Amino acid sequence: MKEILKYILLASVFFTSCKKSFIDLKPVSTASVDDVYKTDKDFQDAVVGIYATLRNQYQDFWIFGDLRADDSWHALGNDAFLVSVNTFSMSSSAALMINSWRNYYKMINRANMVLTRIAGADPAIVINKDQYIAQAEFLRAIAYFDLVRIWGDVPLITEPIEIADGYKTPREKAEKIYSQVIIPDLLDAESKLPAKYTGVNVGRATKGAAASILGRVYLTIKDFTNAEIKLQEVTTMGYALLNNYNDLFDYTKDEHHSEYIFDIEYQDGGLGLGSGFSNKFLPKSAGSAADVFYGVKGGAGEQNTPTLAFYDAFAPTDKRRDVTVSKGYYDNNGVFQGFIQIATFTKKYLAVTSAINDSKVNWKVIRYADVLLMYAEVLNENGKTSQAIPYLNQIRKRAGLPEYDLTLSKDDTRNKIYQERRFELGMEGVRWFDLIRTGRALDVMAPFGMKPYNTVWPIPLIEIQIINDPAVLPQNPSYD
């Protein structure tokens, strides 16, 4: 997939964005649309175009998943919007709100166009027809899943529409979007996707990726029965934890290992296909030579700093602590180098780069440890606590921590699973969504300024103004 990304810029020529609309309604010109969607290669390029938008969107997903929560903050304080995320005072006119909303709807529109055009395609010509359908469905489901988790009720669009119709498309209840699009898309995608790919196709959505995300969806909507069925299915697909937790974040090694399920794929090399994480998360405090030591060219951004409280929450013997939230590093002379202005940073995204914001580091959307913890959670919620604890203990054992006794109560097990998710998946864009789906967000985040209405984000102001009809696109409550 990293090789295929080289062709994203070419594929994106087929798509244009509409600056006047609340969604990107016409990815290809009316005159050329029939010419674009004909051959197998045409549809491959079109699907790659959907992945391309996902890649753009996930450059900043850490703001939604990490910075919004309690274990991360913008320590440098030089970006007013990032500070406003920390303090729950963000503006609906912020660029992140606008860009993210449009990125997701651009993905959805591209997926809709592929699904519409491919329906009548001849399988003798479009030989990978089922795979393209499945990938488009998977990516559309990802987009809608993120949309409802971030904004709640959103416009539901499942086929290409004219701009005029877009202005009349109202917000739909999240429950309807789950039942009519997200879950059916993932079920169909799972049935059509291959178990794995080889060569340049590695990195595309697989059967295991669709099943794993579907398990997360069921868990999010508290359908524990179906979550158990789906996540158990994933445990039979051949995935396995790496023996060494730190190997997950060693970018001299292949990121597509036994624990990998689905990443947002990035590639360095000066083509504009790299990620910005290595630069963004590295400290730039006075006196720090971390960028030189780690070979991160272009300087450090210090935009996503783990808190000291997060560091202190780890057991001192937890093997995950140093890579997740570290107080420094040992230089080539064995001398410990701390930081003057801040106390901690995460090492999960460090790779040698040749240019600023051009790292090969992927964003891990879901990996097998997450599946095991979700499976433990649903087993426990379904009254199977003694069966849940061994899955939790797999994670504990790798971290070098004592395993829990099988006689733990259901409530104790639930809390320990929540805690283990915090340590295992820290700084991977999971914490905020875990707090929301488990109903703990307000209790945890009220000291940071969270109010009850902050469970969702503000609808971008410009989209409200463009539609100019609160019956169609109202603002989320209390953001007016």
Side-chain angles (χ1 to χ4, degrees), residues 42-253:
D42 292 337
F43 283 103
Q44 175 179 288
D45 289 346
V47 170
V48 168
I50 312 172
Y51 282 104
T53 308
L54 187 67
R55 182 178 57 83
N56 291 339
Q57 174 57 25
Y58 268 72
Q59 291 276 12
D60 293 321
F61 194 76
W62 56 274
I63 299 176
F64 294 105
D66 291 322
L67 194 65
R68 177 80 151 183
D70 54 330
D71 291 334
S72 168
W73 68 307
H74 180 50
L76 192 62
N78 66 339
D79 186 305
F81 174 69
L82 296 182
V83 171
S84 76
V85 173
N86 285 151
T87 59
F88 292 90
S89 59
M90 75 292 297
S91 168
S92 61
S93 61
L96 179 76
M97 296 293 94
I98 300 164
N99 294 337
S100 295
W101 181 274
R102 292 181 175 179
N103 278 340
Y104 284 124
Y105 276 105
K106 185 181 292 184
M107 283 179 61
I108 289 164
N109 192 47
R110 291 180 177 185
N112 288 343
M113 186 66 75
V114 168
L115 292 169
T116 299
R117 293 289 166 177
I118 205 170
D122 184 350
I125 297 174
V126 183
I127 58 175
N128 294 299
K129 180 176 178 176
D130 277 355
Q131 282 194 30
Y132 299 146
I133 290 171
Q135 288 180 68
E137 289 175 331
F138 174 86
L139 294 168
R140 183 170 68 177
I142 289 279
Y144 270 122
F145 186 38
D146 284 353
L147 279 167
V148 297
R149 290 192 299 166
I150 294 168
W151 284 290
D153 303 341
V154 295
L156 176 58
I157 301 168
T158 57
E159 59 184 22
I161 60 175
E162 296 298 326
I163 291 176
D165 294 326
Y167 282 89
K168 298 179 289 186
T169 303
R171 295 176 70 177
E172 289 285 359
K173 293 293 185 184
E175 293 83 359
K176 180 176 180 179
I177 297 172
Y178 276 115
S179 66
Q180 294 194 4
V181 180
I182 297 173
I183 292 172
D185 272 2
L186 290 171
L187 285 169
D188 194 57
E190 182 190 356
S191 73
K192 291 183 171 71
L193 286 168
K196 62 181 180 180
Y197 297 93
T198 59
V200 297
N201 289 313
V202 172
R204 291 178 179 267
T206 62
K207 184 179 298 293
S212 298
I213 295 296
L214 184 53
R216 180 182 280 175
V217 167
Y218 284 137
L219 181 62
T220 299
I221 63 175
K222 295 181 169 51
D223 183 348
F224 299 130
T225 299
N226 278 316
E228 179 182 337
I229 293 169
K230 192 53 58 179
L231 293 167
Q232 190 278 332
E233 180 183 316
V234 180
T235 66
T236 68
M237 290 182 172
Y239 297 108
L241 296 178
L242 296 183
N243 291 328
N244 184 347
Y245 183 79
N246 287 356
D247 285 348
L248 288 162
F249 312 101
D250 181 349
Y251 299 106
T252 65
K253 300 177 179 179

